[in-house]
Amino acid sequence: VSEIFELACELVGIPSVSREEGRLADRVEELLASSPHLTVRRIGDNVVARTDLGRDRRVIVAGHLDTVSSGAQGARIEDGTLWGLGAADMKGTLAVMITLAGQLDSPTFDATWIFYAREEIARSESGLLEIELADPTLLEGDVAILGEPTDAAVEAGCQGTLRLEVLLGGIPAHTARPFMGLNAAHRLAPLLSAIVAASPRTVTIDGVTFAEQCEVVGVHGGSGGNVVPAEVTLVVNHRFAPDRTPEAAIAWLRGVIDPHLDAARDHVEVIDVAPGALPSLEDPVLGRLVALSARPVSAKVGWTDVATFAGRGIPAANFGAGDPLLAHHPEERVSEESLLAVASTLRDLLTEPSPA
Ligand SMILES: [Zn+2]
């Protein structure tokens, strides 16, 4: 069994649900501290290790320490596969990062290895923001690779995400005399039909295809078994391609919803919105990453911190071990083969002569 696989097993064995990453951060810090070519900084439950060799370009490799509770159990190895909570998302790739950070004492590019807390909760809680507050220079670089599970293929860019709440108003009345009121729940019917029938786009950018989505994720309302509801709220989640700004995505969704609203009674509020990230495959390092992975590149389904780096002007892509479909799944697992593929691709990327 390889050193990386053993380390991945050890990391899965250290529980680290969001906000409880301290023990795992301690272990990561300890493992990195023994490498004299790295400057290691601990900020809260985040760890950043950097080389400072004066290279032309700096490559950031980042991964989150936290897991979500999914019902997956502790670490177990069976036939070259590591099972357990966080195996794919993303302690396997953390093991690759720690191992390479220690081994690559003279990479072609300067390297920044970022291990951060609280990725799985809300954007506002991310350890990346804590690092930025403490020392924004630690997030500086020319290109970033996020180790989210991608099955050792590059998943470029990411979708934007928007959550919008619609409050429909009515007039309460006794259900025996509904004509005395206005049923806010019945007013949902045309609105829901419009959302179900809406056709979000499928967009190809830089050769990768983003499929937009639009889903109702919450419906709340009603005040009693014999009362015509005076208020109903509907929450809609729209995943949009990165060629659209948040403003344009909001405008598209409002175009679907607004014809069914009554300006005097109803209210629309954006609960949260995060921009996507363009694929940036013209970046020479990301282009080389695709070539070295020897796998077809695709668009990232979902939102990742690729967008955080893109928002800071740093081209970024997702590349890590494990099947993305098994993230947050009780059957979560990662194969040794996938870990070694990611390790060898990243090692080649960071050690081969610079393409420039
Ligand atoms: Zn993840």
Side-chain angles (χ1 to χ4, degrees), residues 8-355:
C9 186
E10 183 196 335
L11 299 182
V12 170
I14 304 173
S16 62
V17 293
S18 307
R19 297 197 184 88
E20 290 170 28
E21 299 95 337
R23 257 184 72 206
L24 182 58
D26 290 348
R27 182 61 180 138
V28 171
E29 184 183 11
E30 180 185 44
L31 286 163
L32 295 168
S34 58
S35 298
H37 61 280
L38 295 174
T39 308
V40 180
R41 289 275 305 273
R42 170 77 176 252
I43 295 162
D45 287 336
N46 312 285
V47 182
V48 182
R50 290 164 42 110
T51 64
D52 274 297
L53 301 163
R55 302 290 197 246
D56 290 345
R57 301 193 86 200
R58 176 173 290 281
V59 176
I60 296 167
V61 185
H64 60 83
L65 295 167
D66 57 330
T67 59
V68 297
S69 312
S70 65
Q73 304 297 305
R76 169 168 67 91
I77 288 179
E78 221 177 85
D79 299 331
T81 296
L82 167 63
W83 297 68
L85 180 57
D89 186 16
M90 49 167 283
K91 292 181 174 182
T93 302
L94 296 183
V96 172
M97 290 168 58
I98 293 165
T99 305
L100 292 183
Q103 288 175 351
L104 306 183
D105 56 2
S106 187
T108 314
F109 310 103
D110 268 310
T112 300
W113 307 91
I114 300 177
F115 303 83
Y116 63 104
R118 299 180 307 280
E119 186 270 346
E120 299 282 13
I121 316 174
R123 228 181 148 211
S124 58
E125 298 219 37
S126 170
L128 287 178
L129 300 182
E130 195 180 6
I131 295 170
E132 183 171 38
L133 266 179
D135 184 352
T137 65
L138 293 176
L139 298 188
E140 284 173 5
D142 297 290
V143 59
I145 298 165
L146 272 291
E148 298 290 348
T150 63
D151 245 344
V154 176
E155 292 187 0
C158 78
Q159 295 173 308
T161 179
L162 160 66
R163 266 190 312 148
L164 196 120
E165 184 179 83
V166 183
L167 196 150
L168 292 182
I171 300 168
H174 196 290
T175 48
R177 295 182 251 355
F179 45 84
M180 293 302 290
L182 173 67
N183 192 319
H186 290 192
R187 294 192 55 224
L188 276 172
L191 180 58
L192 284 172
S193 299
I195 294 169
V196 171
S199 34
R201 302 170 309 152
T202 296
V203 189
T204 300
I205 307 165
D206 277 5
V208 299
T209 300
F210 293 87
E212 297 188 329
Q213 308 293 348
C214 183
E215 292 291 309
V216 171
V217 294
V219 184
H220 312 276
S223 54
N226 56 1
V227 183
V228 168
E231 200 175 281
V232 169
T233 50
L234 185 75
V235 182
V236 186
N237 182 209
H238 176 37
R239 300 287 175 147
F240 55 96
D243 63 331
R244 261 189 188 161
T245 61
E247 294 69 32
I250 292 167
W252 176 83
L253 188 51
R254 300 268 334 219
V256 174
I257 289 170
D258 284 9
H260 306 283
L261 301 186
D262 173 346
R265 291 184 201 284
D266 305 332
H267 179 72
V268 176
E269 196 181 334
V270 174
I271 305 173
D272 67 28
V273 62
L278 290 164
S280 301
L281 293 173
E282 72 287 354
D283 177 88
V285 173
L286 296 184
R288 191 66 193 136
L289 179 65
V290 171
L292 288 169
S293 74
R295 302 274 312 273
V297 56
S298 61
K300 183 70 192 173
V301 177
W303 190 92
T304 75
D305 274 311
V306 158
T308 304
F309 286 98
R312 300 173 55 91
I314 302 173
N318 305 281
F319 179 72
D323 182 344
L325 298 177
L326 292 174
H328 306 187
H329 191 281
E331 308 266 287
E332 186 171 356
R333 58 191 182 269
V334 68
S335 68
E336 181 171 24
E337 189 190 351
S338 186
L339 291 178
L340 296 181
V342 165
S344 92
T345 298
L346 286 179
R347 180 182 286 112
D348 289 351
L349 181 75
L350 294 172
T351 55
E352 71 181 7
S354 169

